């Protein structure tokens, strides 16, 4: 589904209204991941591929009223669901492609991306675009509320050594895209990779 934006929009657009009901227990995992991300009050953070905005409340709490929270997603129905859930109050929602963000170079302190990487059409170039909008020394979190094995089982497939999210693949991909991986956790109940923007 990652090759074609129209397909991504159709897939998520058709599921947007029921997305939060389908995954009702994910909120604590999002909150824990944001807490581990180490944001500071006043930081400027983007939730890239924000979907229904499940991370926005935790991101707002982490950066405080002086911080900036942006949520960008390609699918209008997902952003509409975020608004209906009241999450638009936590930050600014943007209908935008994370492959071509309408942001200046180095304007952000951090990017949080939940479930995004598997849907990127060109992961190397797209991660470079995320690096472009983050200041040197800024941070990236790649998150999913369940680990790779649980996610593969949910989708009825086997994990292989070619899986882009495997540590031996993701580390070099990040390094070639302007990031240095600083931690990697792939557990039953979460997948969380943290990285720092190269100077």
């Amino acid at each position: 589904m990652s090759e074609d934006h129209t397909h991504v929009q159709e897939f998520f657009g058709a599921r947007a209204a029921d997305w939060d009901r389908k995954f009702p227990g994910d909120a604590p995992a999002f909150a824990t991941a944001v807490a581990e991300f180490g944001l500071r009050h006043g930081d400027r953070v983007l939730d890239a591929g924000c979907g229904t905005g499940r991370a926005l409340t935790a991101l707002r709490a982490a950066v405080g009223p002086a911080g900036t929270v942006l949520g960008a997603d390609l699918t209008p129905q997902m952003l509409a669901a975020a608004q209906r859930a009241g999450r638009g109050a936590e930050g600014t929602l943007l209908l935008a492609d994370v492959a071509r963000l309408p942001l200046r170079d180095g304007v952000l302190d951090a990017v949080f991306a939940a479930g995004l990487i598997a849907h990127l059409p060109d992961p190397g170039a797209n991660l470079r675009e995320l690096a472009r909008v983050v200041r040197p020394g800024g941070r990236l979190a790649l998150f999913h509320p369940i680990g790779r094995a649980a996610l593969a089982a949910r989708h009825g497939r086997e994990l292989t050594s070619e899986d882009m999210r495997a540590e031996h693949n993701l580390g070099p991909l990040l390094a070639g895209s302007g990031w240095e991986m600083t931690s990697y956790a792939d557990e039953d109940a979460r997948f969380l990779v943290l990285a720092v923007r190269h100077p």
Side-chain angles (χ1 to χ4, degrees), residues 12 15-21 23 30 47 49-56 73 75 77-88 93:
F12 286 105
R15 292 161 175 79
D18 295 320
W19 193 261
D20 288 352
R21 283 192 293 273
F23 305 107
F30 274 82
D47 184 359
C50 66
T52 61
R54 293 183 294 168
L56 295 178
D73 202 274
T75 306
Q77 297 93 325
M78 282 289 197
L79 295 176
Q83 288 284 14
R84 284 193 303 274
R87 296 173 185 142
L93 297 176

Side-chain angles (χ1 to χ4, degrees), residues 97-173:
D97 183 353
V98 299
R100 290 181 299 279
L101 289 163
L103 299 171
R104 297 190 315 272
D105 293 358
V107 72
L108 299 175
D109 297 296
V111 173
F112 184 87
L116 176 71
I117 193 165
H119 303 293
L120 295 176
D122 184 346
N126 303 151
L127 288 167
R128 278 192 294 279
E129 173 66 356
L130 296 181
R132 179 188 69 77
V133 299
V134 173
R135 64 171 173 77
R139 285 155 293 146
L140 171 69
L142 301 175
F143 169 69
H144 200 283
I146 59 176
R148 292 187 311 124
L151 187 61
R154 177 186 287 174
H155 294 157
R157 60 177 175 79
E158 296 280 330
L159 275 182
T160 70
S161 61
E162 286 79 41
D163 182 2
M164 177 175 48
R165 288 164 289 196
E167 186 172 8
H168 65 271
N169 294 325
L170 189 54
L173 177 63

Side-chain angles (χ1 to χ4, degrees), residues 41-62:
H41 275 235
D43 275 354
R44 298 155 299 173
V45 60
L46 169 68
D47 184 359
C50 66
T52 61
R54 293 183 294 168
L56 295 178
T57 300
L59 292 171
R60 170 54 68 196

